[in-house]
Amino acid sequence: MTSTTTKPPSTAAPSSDASTRQSPLALRRLLHAREAGVFAALVLLFLLGTVLSPTFAQSDNLLSVGQQIAQIGIMAVGATFVILNGEIDLSVGSTYALSAISTGMLISDGWSWPAAMFVGLAVGVLAGLFNGLAVVVLGVPSFIVTLGTLSVFRGIALLISDGAPISLSSSQPGVAEFNLLGQGRLFGLVPMQFVFFAAVAAIGVVLLARSRFGFNTYAVGGNQEAARLVGVNVKRVKLTAFVLSGFTAGLAGVLGLSFLSYVQGVTGQGLELTVISAVIIGGAALFGGSGTMWGTVIGVAFIGLLQNILNIKGISSFWQTVVTGLVIVAAVAADTWQRKRKTRA
């Protein structure tokens, strides 16, 4: 009988070739991410601003940019959830105005600013809830619903204020404290509005990336019917997204009032386009299912730096609108190209 010797399994350490192969794979994943491309564009934009103006990279200017983008950024966080669901909210600018008008009127009538602010936030939530119910219960497309409520909420703001502007005086009780929310600086340095934006964005990152709601948001946006079949409550997910969008628009409106101590019924016109632009530029797919909160933050920063550079160079606001529009078209075109490329692969 011939005996055979069984070789024991090799316990040698894996060759370095495996780790070498893994590194390009990880790098490839990173480079294929839309957020990586937008971040690279943001870095290039920053370098361009530094070259064009010696004051661009100074801390005072960058902190000013942070304050300027805060309200747009807060609204963009809420809008991200709506867009990832494959929906759209065109009413955020009107919700912004309605919440600010409501808060300003109550403070002028002698309400304490915390109570007035609570009502302003509640108005935002109710506006989002109305939009969400119209979409998920009545089945009306979100584009049509929010196009209508864009006018409805704006009209209500004009009606309750009688078309007159509302100004808050620091001599009124509590107004000085209320103004600190928008005009104050943390540690005498960081604008409070930017602090609010950072806090809202951090909550948005965790909610989208680490919670069941975030997972369900991607599922609904990617394939609504498949999500329903595996037990996701599609209506609840969409309704929650619209409520979040309304809340963040309301919060931005309250902070805008706190910063300017002034609001009128036409305040916030056109903000919805800038908000949606930031989300799309940040890599979110316009038809849902793809995008991240970090991408939205990068998109907001990109718009803020772009507008700041144009302002520093004295470019007309009309041309700024043209440039922003071209950037949006480029972002959507890039998303469409990437989707077609994935489909072919």
Side-chain angles (χ1 to χ4, degrees), residues 70-254:
Q71 294 171 34
I72 295 296
I74 289 170
M75 288 191 283
V77 170
T80 300
F81 289 101
V82 174
I83 291 175
L84 289 180
N85 271 283
E87 304 292 348
I88 200 78
D89 187 353
L90 299 174
S91 68
V92 290
S94 298
T95 302
Y96 173 101
L98 183 56
S99 293
I101 286 282
S102 302
T103 303
M105 290 182 66
L106 292 176
I107 291 177
S108 297
D109 286 343
W111 285 46
S112 66
W113 70 263
M117 180 176 176
F118 177 82
V119 172
L121 295 177
V123 166
V125 169
L126 289 174
L129 182 63
F130 182 88
N131 286 335
L133 288 174
V135 171
V136 303
V137 175
L138 300 181
V140 183
S142 58
F143 179 86
I144 302 300
V145 170
T146 58
L147 184 63
T149 54
L150 178 153
S151 297
V152 170
F153 298 156
R154 179 76 61 189
I156 293 174
L158 289 167
L159 282 171
I160 63 176
S161 64
D162 208 16
I166 296 172
S167 297
L168 300 180
S169 171
S170 56
S171 61
Q172 295 174 258
V175 170
E177 292 81 0
F178 174 67
N179 286 345
L180 289 176
L181 298 177
Q183 301 174 12
R185 289 180 175 259
L186 184 65
F187 306 123
L189 181 65
V190 183
M192 282 302 300
Q193 288 195 84
F194 184 75
V195 173
F196 276 104
F197 169 42
V200 171
I203 294 171
V205 167
V206 173
L207 195 58
L208 187 58
R210 302 292 180 184
S211 72
R212 180 176 294 275
F213 170 69
F215 174 82
N216 290 342
T217 295
Y218 283 115
V220 171
N223 190 320
Q224 180 173 312
E225 184 59 23
R228 186 186 65 80
L229 291 174
V230 298
V232 175
N233 190 326
V234 173
K235 291 184 177 180
R236 182 184 298 170
V237 171
K238 289 191 175 188
L239 184 61
T240 303
F242 277 104
V243 169
L244 287 174
S245 181
F247 172 79
T248 53
L251 176 59
V254 171

